[in-house]
Amino acid sequence: MKVVDHIKKAAGKTLFSFEILPPLKGQNIQSIFDHIDPLMEFEPPFIDVTYHREEYVYKELSGGLLQKKVVRKRPGTVGICAAIQNKYEVHAVPHILCGGFTKEDTENFLIDLDFLGIDNVLALRGDAVKNETYFSAEKEGHTYAKDLVKQIVGLNKGEYLDEELLNKSKTNFCIGVAGYPEKHMEAPSLDQDVLRLKEKVDAGACYVVTQMFFDNNKYFEFVDKCRKAGITVPIIPGLKPLATKKQLSILPHRFHVDLPDELTLEVLKCKSKEEVRQIGVEWCIQQSKELIKGGAPVLHYYSMGKSDNIQKIAGELF
């Protein structure tokens, strides 16, 4: 069942979903199940699983030479999605990136998902690798998410890279894309960013999931801009409860989001980690209640590998 079908079936009721990270290489899948188990009582119709591209590290050799080595710290996205659907009978939504993929890699990735009965994907450009200032596409890959969306739509029509294939079957992917209520960091303005989002939707995206935000006005204003621009697909708000004081600086730097002064001041007053997490939970609960009242189709929580605070929030709402 597709994400958009779940939304239609809910008939205006706000749904609960969340995103998980694959475990670090060397850990087993039980760490994922331990994270998911406490959240299943809230009946998520789908669970997102992030994809993490390669990183480059440099190992010093004798004589002072440096050896460049490619590492992938969090492999396993496809396997985790298959395990989730098998164990929980809940739809998994793997992320698929432009970065690190050629068009051939993308096609093979999608074929694997199709064989496994996974028919939802979140199509993202992805970030630059750590040693790059700006994003750089693979030689035979996609530069923009809209082009990735077009390839997925093409496969849904039975269009493969090898045009000479016979008896080509069509896939049936529901495609989500990212939206940025406070604009993507590389966009010159929010209005221009909305136009880029419309290009992704026009290319075939079925729904939008937003970057995290801590001021609901940013989301409602963003949705209004999208609707005026002709974007009619569901726009799902992405939420993350603040968990540490360090995140007051980490989140604005890494995700380019603003934190309201009211939230910041309350966190700065806290004398323990537990107090900070509680403030984060309470703030997110209030955000969630307002978003439900405002008609958000789904509340999508970025768990960052922890489920206890998401469980507290969902327990108040679902």
Side-chain angles (χ1 to χ4, degrees):
M1 194 169 179
K2 297 182 177 181
V3 168
V4 290
D5 293 332
H6 284 295
I7 293 172
K8 289 177 184 176
K9 185 179 178 182
K13 177 185 176 182
T14 301
L15 301 173
F16 164 78
S17 72
F18 59 95
E19 176 185 290
I20 62 171
L21 283 67
L24 290 167
K25 184 180 288 188
Q27 298 177 1
N28 63 35
I29 200 167
Q30 188 58 45
S31 63
I32 293 295
F33 295 155
D34 290 343
H35 170 65
I36 294 175
D37 285 346
L39 301 178
M40 291 309 298
E41 66 174 292
F42 308 112
E43 300 182 342
F46 60 90
I47 298 170
D48 275 36
V49 183
T50 60
Y51 186 93
H52 295 257
R53 63 176 299 184
E54 76 285 357
E55 296 181 19
Y56 299 116
V57 296
Y58 293 88
K59 183 178 180 180
E60 187 172 353
L61 304 177
S62 59
L65 295 176
L66 294 177
Q67 180 184 47
K68 185 178 180 180
K69 184 179 180 181
V70 178
V71 297
R72 194 179 299 277
K73 294 184 178 180
R74 293 183 183 271
T77 296
V78 175
I80 291 167
C81 287
I84 286 172
Q85 294 203 163
N86 179 63
K87 179 176 174 64
Y88 298 104
E89 297 184 354
V90 167
H91 293 96
V93 184
H95 294 191
I96 181 169
L97 310 180
C98 294
F101 282 77
T102 64
K103 294 173 187 176
E104 184 76 23
D105 293 333
T106 297
E107 183 171 278
N108 291 335
F109 188 90
L110 293 167
I111 288 170
D112 283 345
L113 296 178
D114 185 51
F115 287 167
L116 289 166
I118 297 169
D119 58 6
N120 293 284
V121 293
L122 190 67
L124 308 166
R125 189 199 70 176
D127 298 324
V129 293
K130 289 185 177 180
N131 64 320
E132 294 178 343
T133 303
Y134 299 104
F135 175 83
S136 178
E138 296 297 307
K139 186 177 180 181
E140 298 295 330
H142 295 300
T143 302
Y144 301 108
K146 68 176 181 179
D147 298 316
L148 175 57
V149 171
K150 289 177 182 177
Q151 183 177 2
I152 302 170
V153 169
L155 208 60
N156 282 349
K157 297 176 181 178
E159 299 170 359
Y160 289 75
L161 296 174
D162 183 353
E163 297 178 357
E164 296 181 2
L165 290 176
L166 300 176
N167 302 316
K168 293 180 284 189
S169 63
K170 299 177 182 180
T171 56
N172 189 30
F173 290 108
C174 174
I175 308 164
V177 292
Y180 298 84
E182 298 175 67
K183 90 173 185 63
H184 189 277
M185 62 179 177
E186 296 174 16
S189 69
L190 181 56
D191 287 339
Q192 287 297 309
D193 202 27
V194 169
L195 292 178
R196 301 290 82 77
L197 177 58
K198 188 174 188 303
E199 290 177 356
K200 292 189 283 188
V201 173
D202 289 346
C206 307
Y207 67 97
V208 176
V209 181
T210 77
Q211 172 66 282
M212 69 179 73
F213 57 90
F214 294 86
D215 180 350
N216 285 351
N217 288 329
K218 301 284 180 66
Y219 169 77
F220 291 123
E221 290 168 3
F222 175 69
V223 171
D224 185 55
K225 279 182 177 289
C226 288
R227 300 306 183 218
K228 288 178 179 177
I231 297 170
T232 60
V233 299
I235 301 176
I236 298 171
L239 298 167
K240 178 192 167 12
L242 197 75
T244 67
K245 282 189 177 182
K246 285 185 178 180
Q247 288 177 348
L248 292 176
S249 57
I250 290 174
L251 296 181
H253 174 73
R254 185 172 298 172
F255 298 99
H256 300 269
V257 296
D258 288 338
L259 295 174
D261 286 338
E262 182 182 353
L263 174 60
T264 301
L265 292 172
E266 287 300 313
V267 169
L268 290 174
K269 292 177 186 176
C270 294
K271 297 180 180 180
S272 68
K273 293 179 180 179
E274 290 74 20
E275 288 181 14
V276 174
R277 288 181 73 81
Q278 185 59 32
I279 291 294
V281 165
E282 291 173 0
W283 186 273
C284 198
I285 288 172
Q286 294 308 310
Q287 269 195 279
S288 300
K289 287 180 176 178
E290 187 177 14
L291 289 166
I292 291 172
K293 187 177 180 180
V298 184
L299 297 185
H300 186 69
Y301 295 92
Y302 297 116
S303 66
M304 302 297 191
K306 302 288 184 182
S307 62
D308 60 315
N309 49 3
I310 305 298
Q311 185 179 14
K312 291 177 181 177
I313 294 162
E316 291 286 330
L317 303 163
F318 297 99

